[in-house]
Amino acid sequence: MTQPVLRVAHLYPRLMNIYGDRGNVLCLRHRCEARGIDFELTELSIGDRFDAAAHDLIFAGGAQDREQRAVVDDLLATKAAAIREAVEADVALLAVCGAYQLFGRFYRDATGAELPGAGVFDLYTEHPGEGAKRCIGNIVIEWRSPFGSQTIVGFENHGGRTRLGAGAQPLGRVRTGSGNNGEDGTEGAVYRNAIGTYIHGSLLPKNPALADHVIALALRRRHGDIALAPIDDRAELRAHAAAVRLRA
Amino acid sequence: MDKRTIAAVIAGKAAGNASRLLGRGGGTAIAGLVAERFDPRIVAHLTAQAGAGAICVTGTNGKTTTSLMLSRIAAAAGLLPLHNRSGSNLMRGVAAMLVEEASFSGAIPDAARRLAILEVDEATLPQIMRAMTPRAIVFTNLFRDQLDRYGEVDTVAQSWERAIAANAAGATATGDPGVHVHAPLRDDGETVLVLNADDPAVAHLGRAARGRVLYYGIEDAIAGGAEGEHASDFRTCLDCAVELAYSATFYGHLGHWRCPSCGTARPKPDVRLDRVTLTDNSAALDITLPDGAEMSIVLPMAGLYNAYNALAAVAGAIALGLPRDAAANALAGFSAAFGRQERFSVGGRDVQVLLGKNPTGLNQVLRTIAARPGEKRILFLLNDGIADGRDISWIWDADYEIVVPRTVWTLAAGTRAEDLALRLKYGGFGDDVPVEHETAAALRRALLATPSGETLYVVPTYTAMLEVRELLAKQGGGKRFWEDA
């Protein structure tokens, strides 16, 4: 049997790196290497073409509005179609915060102007207007994982309100915090092997079950179901448990 | 004197005293809040008395140290600083300091020799600019910090730009003409903007200014060594959103930048740091002033970030027309602001407190510690109070790995100790870094783990720093922060 390898494409690592998204990449690498799974990271930025067949997992993080504007033209011109194609072919995707919004159908900003998205998820995001309260604080959601009901913990900080269409399932239900829009109790989106969420913190290090779920989804297409051996998660679970207890 | 101002001073002093008697710390917030209730324009009314006018210092990192440097320079020049040196930098903190300095009649003693040196929170700057007209504003830098409070870094940059544009349009209210005391050193009533040329977000402010702008920056292109640093906030041009190109990077997004698309580039600095030589406890600076004069200073503080602070302070002093000798002497004899490379002696141990409150600042602190000789024992404290920022995800952007070599003992403490322990695990400090929530208990454990004659490094976030300092002052006989001088 060949040595499994997880090939990750990190989109716009310098432009979309706010809120500790680097922790997610560190976590994926750590959890793969601890299981003897090779980890290959490709950083793709403005102008780089995305090859739908070259990656098992696409990761993109948060950005400010200015960086998001810089990214959106490039995303639509050079990558969006190939990313959609990859997701339809069951490549895994993890999009956090700004990237989550960007991978929806469109984003309507505070002035009402509409920015088209990459259209990976059937969702749209609306900014409720200048002066509206941002959704900021600790967040805990209930996630119906393949391993049973779990919590996902972290921090959210977003102005936009996201609403899911019929083609996307929520990642979980909000226990503490705002989630997608602060109204319908949903947080994040799932479509095939693609996951989008507002939760950073960083997201993956203290949600090790979610991290392993993402790794398993990403490996499945080329390597089948690989049992991920348990690793030392004492520090991870301690941080998770502490975060479950935090106020919003 | 306005009756409201007098009432505000008396009520503010009383509130501050009551708070201190009750043991509620320095009483800096409450005195200011009460005074503002009696006279909403208390800051304008009291600073207007300062004969030498006012200078503000704002930005993400370096405010406290830069304003303390300016305060020492002013003192060396024979002026009496009115300085919110406790780091209480919201409107109420500035008001509290002024109320403490004023007499019961509402007059600032020795008003003619007074220079107001105001450290101002980034988000409070527009409010200060509406309230008064400082002679100069020093902008240090703009990094991600407390994003839960400010929203985005761009929000702060835009609020500064709007405040400066409003100022340039003559929209400033300098207070009631009746109480406006003419400042002898004031030249034209315009505010000089003192801007860090190496920070694209700060340098950009120069374009909104109508008055005089003084840029400062590091020319020495080899001063950097920031490759591999992961915290950078202004990677794209503020005008056309294209990724900036750097011919030199110092740390974070500070460097020699240029937009490859629209051609906007780092302005040529007026106050230039031509050469900087760092040792583990000092920084030798060769500075060129706007008239070509040269100034060499050995600053007794480590770290490139302190070289920036000194450069900003020199530029601020130049903007005010303070004597150069005063600047050179004050900086050569400078000692740390509270919690910033501050040292305590506890039972023969050298305890050094280095505030680390955002990724860029923390990376500089970690580099400073790594450059020190000997074994390292490090107590990290991560709190998520309002003043720290409630979002602690920034720890994943800081490069804790820098200090792993020669670190023999580590404790993760603070209200978010578990998150910190996990980050340290990833940093290579071990799979099971011990955790402690209580600051006092954490400090006790750290002191126990540090033999006499050895150094303990304490790296806290803001509120943890205040707690640690208070505890150390009790044990080491040091001073409490509001008595700091």
Side-chain angles (χ1 to χ4, degrees):
Chain A
M1 201 182 119
T2 56
Q3 167 88 356
V5 50
L6 184 75
R7 304 168 310 170
V8 178
H10 186 180
L11 303 185
Y12 312 105
R14 285 192 306 284
L15 294 173
M16 304 190 76
N17 74 336
I18 211 158
Y19 303 132
D21 287 314
R22 177 174 159 250
N24 294 321
V25 178
L26 292 176
C27 176
L28 292 168
R29 178 187 292 277
H30 162 70
R31 301 189 74 81
C32 282
E33 289 176 351
R35 274 79 172 243
I37 298 165
D38 282 343
F39 185 85
E40 266 179 35
L41 183 68
T42 308
E43 299 192 337
L44 296 175
S45 197
I46 303 260
D48 297 333
R49 226 172 50 81
F50 179 85
D51 177 353
H55 311 284
D56 307 310
L57 172 64
I58 302 158
F59 171 72
Q64 304 200 72
D65 285 351
R66 177 165 45 91
E67 273 84 12
Q68 207 142 313
R69 280 194 299 276
V71 157
V72 70
D73 292 340
D74 180 77
L75 180 71
L76 296 179
T78 67
K79 300 179 181 70
I83 291 173
R84 281 196 302 271
E85 183 190 326
V87 169
E88 291 301 327
D90 281 334
V91 168
L93 178 145
L94 178 64
V96 177
C97 202
Y100 172 44
Q101 297 178 342
L102 219 51
F103 285 150
R105 287 194 281 114
F106 62 85
Y107 177 82
R108 195 175 290 134
D109 74 13
T111 66
E114 230 171 75
L115 272 82
V120 170
F121 296 108
D122 179 17
L123 59 84
Y124 67 92
T125 303
E126 251 180 325
H127 195 289
E130 210 63 65
K133 244 181 102 134
R134 290 178 72 87
C135 303
I136 302 181
N138 294 307
I139 176 166
V140 181
I141 68 167
E142 312 273 357
W143 168 47
R144 211 174 297 158
S145 81
F147 333 102
S149 187
Q150 298 253 359
T151 44
I152 298 175
V153 296
F155 200 89
E156 61 181 325
N157 182 351
H158 52 103
R161 311 307 203 251
T162 295
R163 299 198 181 270
L164 306 184
Q169 296 301 311
L171 174 64
R173 311 288 308 175
V174 176
R175 190 198 279 183
T176 316
S178 300
N180 280 334
N181 47 57
E183 287 170 11
D184 65 13
T186 66
E187 160 50 28
V190 177
Y191 172 69
R192 301 182 79 98
N193 290 339
I195 295 173
T197 179
Y198 275 118
I199 304 178
H200 62 268
S202 298
L203 171 70
L204 295 181
K206 63 181 171 225
N207 292 295
L210 178 65
D212 281 354
H213 176 59
V214 169
I215 292 170
L217 286 180
L219 290 175
R220 187 178 293 158
R221 195 172 55 105
R222 293 193 309 129
H223 301 283
D225 281 318
I226 289 182
L228 297 173
I231 53 176
D232 179 356
D233 274 336
R234 282 173 298 166
E236 282 78 356
L237 296 175
R238 205 166 45 178
H240 184 99
V244 170
R245 294 190 297 267
L246 295 171
R247 287 176 296 117
Chain B
M1 188 67 55
D2 191 309
K3 282 201 188 71
R4 278 172 308 174
T5 307
I6 299 170
V9 168
I10 293 169
K13 278 178 181 290
N17 286 337
S19 167
R20 269 186 298 274
L21 278 175
L22 293 170
R24 305 251 167 88
T28 44
I30 186 75
L33 281 173
V34 168
E36 283 189 283
R37 286 290 284 277
F38 281 82
D39 178 5
R41 301 189 48 76
I42 184 78
V43 168
H45 290 156
L46 293 180
T47 51
Q49 298 179 34
I55 182 166
C56 297
V57 180
T58 195
T60 307
N61 289 338
K63 292 185 288 290
T64 301
T65 298
T66 301
S67 54
L68 185 62
M69 287 171 168
L70 273 166
S71 177
R72 300 272 167 79
I73 294 170
L79 295 172
L80 298 170
L82 286 168
H83 175 206
N84 54 332
R85 64 187 176 212
S86 74
S88 192
N89 58 19
L90 304 180
M91 207 63 174
R92 67 185 78 132
V94 172
M97 175 275 292
L98 293 166
V99 160
E100 289 295 320
E101 294 274 3
S103 71
F104 281 97
S105 68
I108 300 281
D110 274 319
R113 290 170 62 210
R114 292 290 188 160
L115 172 67
I117 299 168
L118 308 181
E119 173 188 333
V120 179
D121 172 80
E122 304 90 285
T124 302
L125 185 77
Q127 203 185 339
I128 282 274
M129 288 180 73
R130 283 193 298 274
M132 56 181 283
T133 306
R135 291 177 57 210
I137 306 174
V138 178
F139 292 83
T140 59
N141 46 55
L142 184 55
F143 297 115
R144 71 182 74 176
D145 185 27
Q146 300 188 43
L147 295 174
D148 55 312
R149 201 175 126 221
Y150 301 131
E152 296 185 341
V153 199
D154 276 4
T155 314
V156 179
Q158 284 157 10
S159 79
W160 286 354
E161 208 139 324
R162 276 198 293 269
I164 288 166
N167 195 320
T172 49
T174 47
D176 309 344
V179 297
H180 189 83
V181 177
H182 179 67
L185 288 181
R186 181 170 297 179
D187 17 60
D188 48 9
E190 259 184 10
T191 303
V192 182
L193 299 184
V194 182
L195 303 177
N196 186 343
D198 300 341
D199 185 328
V202 169
H204 197 261
L205 299 172
R207 313 232 315 240
R210 204 188 47 181
R212 201 151 73 87
V213 175
L214 194 70
Y215 291 102
Y216 63 92
I218 297 182
E219 292 291 285
D220 189 347
I222 58 164
E227 288 94 311
E229 236 176 62
H230 295 93
S232 185
D233 305 305
F234 289 89
R235 280 284 174 188
T236 58
C237 175
L238 280 114
D239 293 319
C240 57
V242 166
E243 195 165 354
L244 295 172
Y246 281 80
S247 58
T249 310
F250 300 126
Y251 58 86
H253 55 256
L254 306 184
H256 295 179
W257 54 274
R258 178 178 59 77
C259 173
S261 171
C262 70
T264 304
R266 168 185 183 258
K268 182 87 186 144
D270 307 295
V271 178
R272 305 194 311 259
L273 182 54
D274 292 316
R275 206 155 57 114
V276 52
T277 311
L278 300 173
T279 73
D280 64 32
N281 58 18
S282 72
L285 315 174
D286 292 331
I287 298 172
T288 303
L289 301 176
D291 60 3
E294 288 172 9
M295 184 189 257
S296 289
I297 302 165
V298 178
L299 180 75
M301 286 186 89
L304 192 60
Y305 64 116
N306 281 314
Y308 261 119
N309 292 334
L311 190 63
V314 168
I318 295 293
L320 295 178
L322 296 177
R324 283 146 200 210
D325 287 355
N329 294 338
L331 291 175
F334 188 74
S335 56
F338 73 96
R340 278 86 173 172
Q341 295 191 20
E342 193 182 20
R343 296 170 84 143
F344 295 81
S345 176
V346 183
R349 304 170 193 88
D350 179 18
V351 182
Q352 304 192 14
V353 182
L354 299 94
L355 175 70
K357 61 190 173 84
N358 51 44
T360 313
L362 179 59
N363 282 346
Q364 284 291 302
V365 159
L366 295 171
R367 278 179 200 285
T368 303
I369 295 174
R372 296 274 167 85
E375 291 181 340
K376 314 290 191 304
R377 291 169 181 79
I378 311 178
L379 166 60
F380 290 103
L381 295 109
L382 176 65
N383 280 0
D384 65 351
I386 302 289
D388 301 294
R390 296 190 52 230
D391 183 359
I392 53 88
S393 56
W394 61 269
I395 61 175
W396 292 93
D397 295 319
D399 300 315
Y400 289 89
E401 292 76 5
I402 299 170
V403 289
V404 170
R406 287 186 295 142
T407 292
V408 296
W409 183 90
T410 318
L411 177 64
T415 54
R416 298 299 295 274
E418 290 88 354
D419 280 90
L420 186 52
L422 181 55
R423 175 67 188 90
L424 293 174
K425 171 184 172 174
Y426 272 85
F429 292 80
D431 286 347
D432 209 9
V433 174
V435 161
E436 176 63 65
H437 284 142
E438 297 299 325
T439 304
L443 188 59
R444 239 186 341 263
R445 285 170 72 168
L447 289 170
L448 274 176
T450 309
S452 181
E454 293 292 328
T455 300
L456 170 66
Y457 297 95
V458 182
V459 182
T461 56
Y462 187 75
T463 63
M465 183 271 285
L466 296 181
E467 293 166 16
V468 162
R469 227 184 149 267
E470 182 73 18
L471 291 161
L472 284 171
K474 275 182 196 149
Q475 302 201 23
K479 295 178 222 157
R480 283 164 297 175
F481 74 85
W482 61 91
E483 296 166 348
D484 183 33

